[in-house]
Amino acid sequence: GSDVLLITAADSVTGLDFYDFGLQQPEMSEGRNPDGFSIWEFFDEPTRGESNVTTSSVGKNQPVFPLEYALRQNYPNPFNPATTILFSLPARQRVRLTIFNTLGQRVEHLVDDVYNAGTHVVTWQAKMMPGGVYFYQLKTSSRTVTRKMVLLR
């Protein structure tokens, strides 16, 4: 994945919005819903090359960064041997992203760093892990969110 400039200011130089495309997944579409103005997300039904919106514009005082904290469902899920985890932050803050097994034991610590506001992508390479159910937990100073994922062997 490489950063792709999506929207620029009137000077055509100043970047207003970037998105880091992770590993591309077959039969999966990414976009802003509704109408290109909210945070990036994955659509359950792929749009197969179609535009998610016809036109959009950015007005004055419209937020450039996510307005809310979000931890998305990993994809693919189930997975083998790698999966992608997306999270969004409304402000710069310290983030910890940890993987746990079903016994609540930490099996891997993926992130412990300060991230800027925006949407971020982390990939977990679970090559040496046995198949089964795992949990990924995103923790900041103000929130803790945990989701379930399945590693198939």
Side-chain angles (χ1 to χ4, degrees):
S2 60
D3 287 338
V4 177
L5 177 64
L6 298 173
I7 301 171
T8 60
D11 63 9
S12 297
V13 176
T14 306
L16 296 177
D17 196 2
F18 291 84
Y19 182 70
D20 185 6
F21 288 93
L23 296 173
Q24 298 301 301
Q25 302 296 318
E27 301 301 315
M28 188 170 289
S29 294
E30 297 174 84
R32 289 182 185 246
N33 184 25
D35 300 329
F37 290 116
S38 67
I39 63 172
W40 281 92
E41 61 185 80
F42 293 92
F43 297 101
D44 294 332
E45 293 295 321
T47 56
R48 293 181 173 74
E50 296 177 21
S51 175
N52 293 321
V53 295
T54 53
T55 60
S56 63
S57 62
V58 176
K60 287 183 179 180
N61 302 322
Q62 190 164 4
V64 176
F65 298 111
L67 295 176
E68 60 187 30
Y69 178 95
L71 177 62
R72 301 292 177 199
Q73 184 63 51
N74 67 300
Y75 69 93
N77 188 34
F79 67 97
N80 181 11
T83 190
T84 301
I85 299 169
L86 284 88
F87 61 93
S88 299
L89 304 171
R92 179 179 168 88
Q93 56 192 295
R94 176 164 293 283
V95 172
R96 294 188 69 155
L97 180 60
T98 309
I99 308 294
F100 296 94
N101 64 19
T102 55
L103 299 175
Q105 300 165 322
R106 184 180 74 194
V107 297
E108 190 152 351
H109 195 69
L110 296 178
V111 169
D112 187 3
D113 206 353
V114 175
Y115 278 75
N116 289 324
T119 299
H120 305 279
V121 179
V122 176
T123 301
W124 182 37
Q125 298 287 340
K127 293 177 184 173
M128 304 304 288
M129 302 303 299
V133 174
Y134 291 89
F135 298 91
Y136 58 105
Q137 183 181 76
L138 187 68
K139 188 179 244 185
T140 68
S141 61
S142 61
R143 304 223 178 170
T144 300
V145 179
T146 305
R147 291 192 179 266
K148 180 171 73 170
M149 60 184 161
V150 178
L151 172 59
L152 289 181
R153 292 286 182 199

